[in-house]
Amino acid sequence: MKKSLSLALVCLAIFPAFSQTAMIPSKEVQIKTAVMAAPEEKQADATVLGYHENGELVELKKGTNEMICISDDPNGKGFSVSCYASDLEPFMIRGRELKKEGKSFQEIFDTREVEAKSGKLKMPNEGATLFVLSAEDEDYNTSSGEVSDTYLRYVVYLPWATAETTGLPLKPSAPGMPWIMDPGTHRAHIMITPPRD
């Protein structure tokens, strides 16, 4: 069963607890597959975060551009990697911290909302994009890093944006139509989900 978009976004922001029974691909495979979500011209110089053999999320590769990529969570269902503009990193880090404290999704949302409004949590001033690439388990070879039949979708974070300020609907009325989620909040973002073949 394919991961829902909302679940994928939650996992990107907060990362679930790690199971010691999960098989962790090599550092090379994690880097190779993580950057697949980034635009081609940004892949080689992206920073990559992935999983240490003890399950801890660590930096696997220091990049030189603004792109940060996250390798597939060995505990997750299916294959899912993501890349996002570095302006989103404070938002992502704070989510991971709060999740580690045992906070629920709503508690994390509310805490970041308060902190973003106060200026404690720095959010992108002009928007920042998240790319998510997914596939089924059977289409991902954890030894070679080969992935087939992938699906790429996009999220553009525009803190505090609304349907009125962007002209976007609150839900899509046609396949692939952009729409805005969590309008008027720190987590306001444009969802772009191209139709699958």
Side-chain angles (χ1 to χ4, degrees), residues 17 32 44 63 71 73 103 115 121 136 141 157 178 189 191:
K32 175 183 177 179
S71 68
D73 175 6
K103 304 294 186 185
E115 292 179 353
L121 176 61
E136 300 288 357
N141 185 318
Y157 283 84
H189 53 281
M191 305 279 280

Side-chain angles (χ1 to χ4, degrees), residues 109 113 117 158-162 181-189:
F109 182 98
E113 177 81 354
K117 283 181 176 178
L158 289 171
W160 321 116
T162 65
M181 187 174 183
D182 296 327
T185 73
H186 76 288
R187 195 173 174 267
H189 53 281

Side-chain angles (χ1 to χ4, degrees), residues 70-103:
I70 308 287
S71 68
D72 180 62
D73 175 6
N75 271 337
K77 293 181 180 179
F79 169 83
S80 182
V81 294
S82 63
C83 296
Y84 53 85
S86 57
D87 282 354
L88 279 171
E89 186 66 341
F91 170 77
M92 298 293 186
I93 288 173
R94 188 60 177 134
R96 293 194 290 266
E97 291 173 346
L98 292 167
K99 177 63 177 177
K100 202 170 185 180
E101 293 174 10
K103 304 294 186 185

Side-chain angles (χ1 to χ4, degrees), residues 110-125:
D110 292 344
T111 299
R112 288 193 293 198
E113 177 81 354
V114 169
E115 292 179 353
K117 283 181 176 178
S118 72
K120 180 179 179 181
L121 176 61
K122 188 172 189 261
M123 295 297 292
N125 291 325

Side-chain angles (χ1 to χ4, degrees), residues 115-164:
E115 292 179 353
K117 283 181 176 178
S118 72
K120 180 179 179 181
L121 176 61
K122 188 172 189 261
M123 295 297 292
N125 291 325
E126 299 178 358
T129 304
L130 165 75
F131 305 86
V132 183
L133 185 76
S134 59
E136 300 288 357
D137 274 322
E138 59 266 28
D139 294 322
Y140 173 37
N141 185 318
T142 57
S143 297
S144 68
E146 296 302 316
V147 189
S148 59
D149 196 22
T150 58
Y151 175 67
L152 183 64
R153 54 190 181 267
Y154 320 87
V155 179
V156 181
Y157 283 84
L158 289 171
W160 321 116
T162 65
E164 292 74 23

